[in-house]
Short mmCIF file of all heavy atoms in Angstrom, two decimals:
data_model
loop_
_atom_site.label_atom_id
_atom_site.label_comp_id
_atom_site.label_asym_id
_atom_site.label_seq_id
_atom_site.Cartn_x
_atom_site.Cartn_y
_atom_site.Cartn_z
N ALA A 1 0.83 -1.21 0.00
CA ALA A 1 0.00 0.00 0.00
C ALA A 1 0.86 1.25 0.00
O ALA A 1 0.60 2.21 -0.74
CB ALA A 1 -0.93 -0.01 1.22
N ILE A 2 1.92 1.28 0.82
CA ILE A 2 2.81 2.44 0.86
C ILE A 2 3.51 2.62 -0.49
O ILE A 2 3.65 3.75 -1.00
CB ILE A 2 3.84 2.29 1.99
CG1 ILE A 2 3.13 2.30 3.35
CG2 ILE A 2 4.89 3.40 1.94
CD1 ILE A 2 4.04 2.02 4.53
N GLY A 3 3.96 1.51 -1.10
CA GLY A 3 4.60 1.60 -2.41
C GLY A 3 3.66 2.11 -3.49
O GLY A 3 4.05 2.93 -4.33
N ALA A 4 2.41 1.64 -3.47
CA ALA A 4 1.43 2.10 -4.46
C ALA A 4 1.14 3.59 -4.29
O ALA A 4 0.97 4.31 -5.28
CB ALA A 4 0.14 1.28 -4.32
N ILE A 5 1.09 4.05 -3.05
CA ILE A 5 0.86 5.48 -2.79
C ILE A 5 2.01 6.30 -3.35
O ILE A 5 1.81 7.35 -3.98
CB ILE A 5 0.71 5.71 -1.27
CG1 ILE A 5 -0.62 5.16 -0.78
CG2 ILE A 5 0.82 7.20 -0.93
CD1 ILE A 5 -0.76 5.16 0.72
N LEU A 6 3.24 5.83 -3.16
CA LEU A 6 4.41 6.54 -3.67
C LEU A 6 4.36 6.66 -5.19
O LEU A 6 4.60 7.74 -5.75
CB LEU A 6 5.68 5.80 -3.22
CG LEU A 6 7.01 6.36 -3.72
CD1 LEU A 6 7.23 7.76 -3.17
CD2 LEU A 6 8.16 5.45 -3.32
N VAL A 7 4.06 5.56 -5.88
CA VAL A 7 4.01 5.57 -7.34
C VAL A 7 2.89 6.48 -7.84
O VAL A 7 3.07 7.28 -8.78
CB VAL A 7 3.82 4.13 -7.87
CG1 VAL A 7 3.58 4.15 -9.38
CG2 VAL A 7 5.03 3.29 -7.52
N TYR A 8 1.72 6.40 -7.19
CA TYR A 8 0.57 7.23 -7.59
C TYR A 8 0.90 8.71 -7.51
O TYR A 8 0.65 9.48 -8.44
CB TYR A 8 -0.62 6.88 -6.72
CG TYR A 8 -1.74 7.90 -6.76
CD1 TYR A 8 -2.57 8.01 -7.88
CD2 TYR A 8 -1.98 8.75 -5.68
CE1 TYR A 8 -3.60 8.95 -7.92
CE2 TYR A 8 -2.99 9.68 -5.72
CZ TYR A 8 -3.80 9.77 -6.84
OH TYR A 8 -4.80 10.70 -6.86
N LEU A 9 1.47 9.13 -6.38
CA LEU A 9 1.76 10.55 -6.20
C LEU A 9 2.92 10.99 -7.10
O LEU A 9 2.98 12.15 -7.51
CB LEU A 9 2.09 10.83 -4.74
CG LEU A 9 0.91 10.75 -3.78
CD1 LEU A 9 1.37 10.97 -2.34
CD2 LEU A 9 -0.13 11.79 -4.14
N TRP A 10 3.83 10.10 -7.40
CA TRP A 10 4.95 10.45 -8.28
C TRP A 10 4.42 10.82 -9.67
O TRP A 10 4.90 11.77 -10.30
CB TRP A 10 5.91 9.26 -8.38
CG TRP A 10 7.28 9.63 -8.88
CD1 TRP A 10 7.59 10.42 -9.95
CD2 TRP A 10 8.53 9.23 -8.32
NE1 TRP A 10 8.94 10.52 -10.09
CE2 TRP A 10 9.55 9.81 -9.10
CE3 TRP A 10 8.88 8.43 -7.24
CZ2 TRP A 10 10.91 9.59 -8.85
CZ3 TRP A 10 10.22 8.23 -6.98
CH2 TRP A 10 11.21 8.81 -7.77
N PHE A 11 3.42 10.08 -10.15
CA PHE A 11 2.86 10.36 -11.46
C PHE A 11 1.93 11.57 -11.42
O PHE A 11 1.89 12.37 -12.37
CB PHE A 11 2.11 9.14 -12.01
CG PHE A 11 3.01 8.11 -12.61
CD1 PHE A 11 3.39 6.99 -11.90
CD2 PHE A 11 3.49 8.26 -13.90
CE1 PHE A 11 4.23 6.03 -12.44
CE2 PHE A 11 4.34 7.32 -14.46
CZ PHE A 11 4.71 6.19 -13.73
N ARG A 12 1.19 11.73 -10.34
CA ARG A 12 0.22 12.82 -10.29
C ARG A 12 0.88 14.17 -10.02
O ARG A 12 0.48 15.18 -10.58
CB ARG A 12 -0.83 12.54 -9.22
CG ARG A 12 -1.81 13.68 -9.04
CD ARG A 12 -3.05 13.29 -8.30
NE ARG A 12 -3.95 14.41 -8.16
CZ ARG A 12 -5.14 14.35 -7.61
NH1 ARG A 12 -5.59 13.19 -7.15
NH2 ARG A 12 -5.91 15.41 -7.52
N PHE A 13 1.88 14.20 -9.15
CA PHE A 13 2.56 15.44 -8.80
C PHE A 13 4.02 15.36 -9.24
O PHE A 13 4.30 14.98 -10.36
CB PHE A 13 2.45 15.69 -7.29
CG PHE A 13 1.04 15.86 -6.80
CD1 PHE A 13 0.38 14.82 -6.18
CD2 PHE A 13 0.38 17.07 -6.95
CE1 PHE A 13 -0.92 14.97 -5.72
CE2 PHE A 13 -0.92 17.23 -6.51
CZ PHE A 13 -1.58 16.18 -5.89
N GLU A 14 4.93 15.73 -8.35
CA GLU A 14 6.36 15.60 -8.58
C GLU A 14 6.94 14.67 -7.52
O GLU A 14 6.26 14.29 -6.57
CB GLU A 14 7.02 16.99 -8.50
CG GLU A 14 6.45 17.99 -9.49
CD GLU A 14 7.03 19.37 -9.27
OE1 GLU A 14 8.02 19.50 -8.52
OE2 GLU A 14 6.50 20.33 -9.84
N TRP A 15 8.21 14.32 -7.70
CA TRP A 15 8.80 13.34 -6.78
C TRP A 15 8.85 13.90 -5.36
O TRP A 15 8.75 13.14 -4.39
CB TRP A 15 10.18 12.93 -7.25
CG TRP A 15 11.23 14.02 -7.16
CD1 TRP A 15 11.58 14.90 -8.13
CD2 TRP A 15 12.04 14.32 -6.02
NE1 TRP A 15 12.56 15.74 -7.67
CE2 TRP A 15 12.87 15.41 -6.38
CE3 TRP A 15 12.16 13.77 -4.75
CZ2 TRP A 15 13.79 15.96 -5.50
CZ3 TRP A 15 13.08 14.32 -3.86
CH2 TRP A 15 13.89 15.40 -4.24
N GLN A 16 9.00 15.25 -5.21
CA GLN A 16 9.03 15.82 -3.86
C GLN A 16 7.71 15.61 -3.14
O GLN A 16 7.67 15.32 -1.93
CB GLN A 16 9.36 17.31 -3.91
CG GLN A 16 10.76 17.64 -4.40
CD GLN A 16 10.77 17.99 -5.87
OE1 GLN A 16 9.94 17.49 -6.64
NE2 GLN A 16 11.68 18.85 -6.28
N PHE A 17 6.60 15.77 -3.87
CA PHE A 17 5.28 15.56 -3.27
C PHE A 17 5.10 14.09 -2.87
O PHE A 17 4.54 13.78 -1.81
CB PHE A 17 4.19 15.97 -4.26
CG PHE A 17 4.07 17.45 -4.46
CD1 PHE A 17 4.84 18.09 -5.41
CD2 PHE A 17 3.18 18.20 -3.72
CE1 PHE A 17 4.73 19.47 -5.60
CE2 PHE A 17 3.06 19.56 -3.89
CZ PHE A 17 3.85 20.20 -4.83
N ALA A 18 5.55 13.18 -3.74
CA ALA A 18 5.44 11.75 -3.43
C ALA A 18 6.24 11.39 -2.19
O ALA A 18 5.76 10.67 -1.31
CB ALA A 18 5.90 10.93 -4.64
N LEU A 19 7.46 11.91 -2.11
CA LEU A 19 8.30 11.61 -0.95
C LEU A 19 7.71 12.23 0.32
O LEU A 19 7.71 11.59 1.38
CB LEU A 19 9.71 12.15 -1.19
CG LEU A 19 10.74 11.87 -0.09
CD1 LEU A 19 10.88 10.36 0.15
CD2 LEU A 19 12.09 12.47 -0.46
N GLY A 20 7.21 13.45 0.21
CA GLY A 20 6.59 14.10 1.37
C GLY A 20 5.38 13.33 1.88
O GLY A 20 5.22 13.15 3.10
N ALA A 21 4.53 12.88 0.96
CA ALA A 21 3.35 12.12 1.38
C ALA A 21 3.73 10.77 1.98
O ALA A 21 3.12 10.32 2.96
CB ALA A 21 2.42 11.91 0.18
N MET A 22 4.77 10.12 1.43
CA MET A 22 5.19 8.84 1.97
C MET A 22 5.75 9.01 3.39
O MET A 22 5.46 8.20 4.28
CB MET A 22 6.25 8.20 1.07
CG MET A 22 6.59 6.78 1.47
SD MET A 22 7.93 6.05 0.51
CE MET A 22 9.31 7.02 1.10
N ILE A 23 6.55 10.06 3.60
CA ILE A 23 7.07 10.32 4.94
C ILE A 23 5.93 10.56 5.92
O ILE A 23 5.93 10.06 7.05
CB ILE A 23 8.04 11.52 4.91
CG1 ILE A 23 9.30 11.16 4.13
CG2 ILE A 23 8.40 11.96 6.33
CD1 ILE A 23 10.24 12.32 3.91
N ALA A 24 4.91 11.33 5.48
CA ALA A 24 3.77 11.61 6.35
C ALA A 24 3.00 10.33 6.68
O ALA A 24 2.58 10.12 7.83
CB ALA A 24 2.85 12.63 5.67
N ASN A 25 2.82 9.46 5.69
CA ASN A 25 2.08 8.22 5.93
C ASN A 25 2.84 7.27 6.84
O ASN A 25 2.25 6.62 7.73
CB ASN A 25 1.77 7.53 4.59
CG ASN A 25 0.64 8.19 3.84
OD1 ASN A 25 -0.23 8.82 4.44
ND2 ASN A 25 0.64 8.06 2.53
N VAL A 26 4.14 7.15 6.63
CA VAL A 26 4.95 6.30 7.52
C VAL A 26 4.92 6.86 8.94
O VAL A 26 4.86 6.11 9.92
CB VAL A 26 6.39 6.20 6.98
CG1 VAL A 26 7.29 5.50 7.99
CG2 VAL A 26 6.41 5.46 5.66
N HIS A 27 4.95 8.19 9.05
CA HIS A 27 4.84 8.85 10.37
C HIS A 27 3.54 8.46 11.06
O HIS A 27 3.52 8.14 12.25
CB HIS A 27 4.93 10.36 10.17
CG HIS A 27 4.60 11.17 11.38
ND1 HIS A 27 3.32 11.66 11.61
CD2 HIS A 27 5.35 11.59 12.42
CE1 HIS A 27 3.32 12.34 12.75
NE2 HIS A 27 4.52 12.31 13.25
N ASP A 28 2.43 8.46 10.31
CA ASP A 28 1.13 8.06 10.88
C ASP A 28 1.16 6.61 11.34
O ASP A 28 0.67 6.28 12.43
CB ASP A 28 0.02 8.24 9.84
CG ASP A 28 -0.26 9.70 9.54
OD1 ASP A 28 0.21 10.55 10.31
OD2 ASP A 28 -0.94 9.99 8.54
N LEU A 29 1.72 5.72 10.52
CA LEU A 29 1.77 4.30 10.89
C LEU A 29 2.62 4.07 12.13
O LEU A 29 2.23 3.31 13.02
CB LEU A 29 2.31 3.48 9.72
CG LEU A 29 1.38 3.23 8.54
CD1 LEU A 29 2.08 2.35 7.50
CD2 LEU A 29 0.09 2.56 8.99
N VAL A 30 3.78 4.72 12.18
CA VAL A 30 4.69 4.51 13.31
C VAL A 30 4.04 4.96 14.61
O VAL A 30 4.06 4.24 15.62
CB VAL A 30 6.02 5.25 13.07
CG1 VAL A 30 6.87 5.28 14.34
CG2 VAL A 30 6.80 4.59 11.94
N LEU A 31 3.43 6.15 14.61
CA LEU A 31 2.80 6.64 15.83
C LEU A 31 1.60 5.79 16.22
O LEU A 31 1.36 5.55 17.42
CB LEU A 31 2.37 8.10 15.65
CG LEU A 31 3.49 9.14 15.52
CD1 LEU A 31 2.92 10.55 15.58
CD2 LEU A 31 4.54 8.97 16.61
N THR A 32 0.85 5.31 15.23
CA THR A 32 -0.31 4.46 15.54
C THR A 32 0.14 3.13 16.13
O THR A 32 -0.47 2.64 17.09
CB THR A 32 -1.15 4.23 14.27
OG1 THR A 32 -1.55 5.49 13.72
CG2 THR A 32 -2.39 3.42 14.59
N LEU A 33 1.20 2.54 15.59
CA LEU A 33 1.72 1.29 16.15
C LEU A 33 2.25 1.51 17.57
O LEU A 33 2.09 0.65 18.44
CB LEU A 33 2.81 0.74 15.25
CG LEU A 33 2.36 0.16 13.90
CD1 LEU A 33 3.55 -0.22 13.05
CD2 LEU A 33 1.45 -1.05 14.11
N GLY A 34 2.87 2.67 17.81
CA GLY A 34 3.31 2.98 19.16
C GLY A 34 2.15 3.11 20.13
O GLY A 34 2.22 2.63 21.27
N PHE A 35 1.07 3.74 19.66
CA PHE A 35 -0.14 3.86 20.48
C PHE A 35 -0.73 2.49 20.80
O PHE A 35 -1.11 2.20 21.94
CB PHE A 35 -1.17 4.72 19.75
CG PHE A 35 -2.54 4.68 20.35
CD1 PHE A 35 -2.85 5.41 21.48
CD2 PHE A 35 -3.54 3.90 19.77
CE1 PHE A 35 -4.12 5.37 22.05
CE2 PHE A 35 -4.82 3.85 20.32
CZ PHE A 35 -5.10 4.60 21.46
N MET A 36 -0.77 1.61 19.80
CA MET A 36 -1.31 0.27 20.02
C MET A 36 -0.44 -0.52 20.98
O MET A 36 -0.94 -1.35 21.75
CB MET A 36 -1.45 -0.46 18.69
CG MET A 36 -2.42 0.20 17.72
SD MET A 36 -2.55 -0.69 16.16
CE MET A 36 -3.46 -2.14 16.69
N SER A 37 0.88 -0.26 20.95
CA SER A 37 1.78 -0.98 21.85
C SER A 37 1.59 -0.53 23.29
O SER A 37 1.51 -1.36 24.20
CB SER A 37 3.23 -0.75 21.41
OG SER A 37 3.46 -1.27 20.12
N ILE A 38 1.53 0.78 23.51
CA ILE A 38 1.43 1.27 24.89
C ILE A 38 0.06 1.01 25.48
O ILE A 38 -0.08 0.79 26.69
CB ILE A 38 1.78 2.79 24.95
CG1 ILE A 38 2.02 3.20 26.40
CG2 ILE A 38 0.67 3.63 24.32
CD1 ILE A 38 2.55 4.62 26.54
N MET A 39 -0.99 1.00 24.65
CA MET A 39 -2.34 0.73 25.13
C MET A 39 -2.69 -0.75 25.10
O MET A 39 -3.75 -1.15 25.57
CB MET A 39 -3.37 1.51 24.29
CG MET A 39 -3.22 3.02 24.36
SD MET A 39 -3.39 3.66 26.04
CE MET A 39 -5.10 3.28 26.38
N GLN A 40 -1.79 -1.56 24.51
CA GLN A 40 -1.99 -3.01 24.41
C GLN A 40 -3.32 -3.36 23.73
O GLN A 40 -4.05 -4.25 24.16
CB GLN A 40 -1.88 -3.67 25.78
CG GLN A 40 -0.45 -3.72 26.33
CD GLN A 40 0.47 -4.58 25.49
OE1 GLN A 40 0.41 -5.80 25.51
NE2 GLN A 40 1.34 -3.93 24.72
N VAL A 41 -3.62 -2.62 22.67
CA VAL A 41 -4.80 -2.93 21.85
C VAL A 41 -4.53 -4.23 21.10
O VAL A 41 -3.43 -4.45 20.59
CB VAL A 41 -5.08 -1.78 20.86
CG1 VAL A 41 -6.27 -2.12 19.97
CG2 VAL A 41 -5.34 -0.48 21.62
#
């Protein structure tokens, strides 16, 4: 899913936009996994 998002944004915008969106999405996943770990969901 992350790879598909990167390719989609690369074609729709520029590579900077694709990289920025991928960093933002990975940031969301990392923080969410941390939340699930500390709350033991």
Side-chain angles (χ1 to χ4, degrees):
I2 295 175
I5 289 171
L6 177 63
V7 173
Y8 164 73
L9 289 177
W10 198 313
F11 280 99
R12 176 164 180 176
F13 298 101
E14 302 173 12
W15 69 268
Q16 294 97 329
F17 288 87
L19 183 58
M22 188 184 69
I23 292 173
N25 283 334
V26 172
H27 170 267
D28 291 346
L29 284 182
V30 169
L31 292 189
T32 303
L33 288 174
F35 168 79
M36 297 180 71
S37 297
I38 194 172
M39 298 300 294
Q40 288 295 285
V41 177

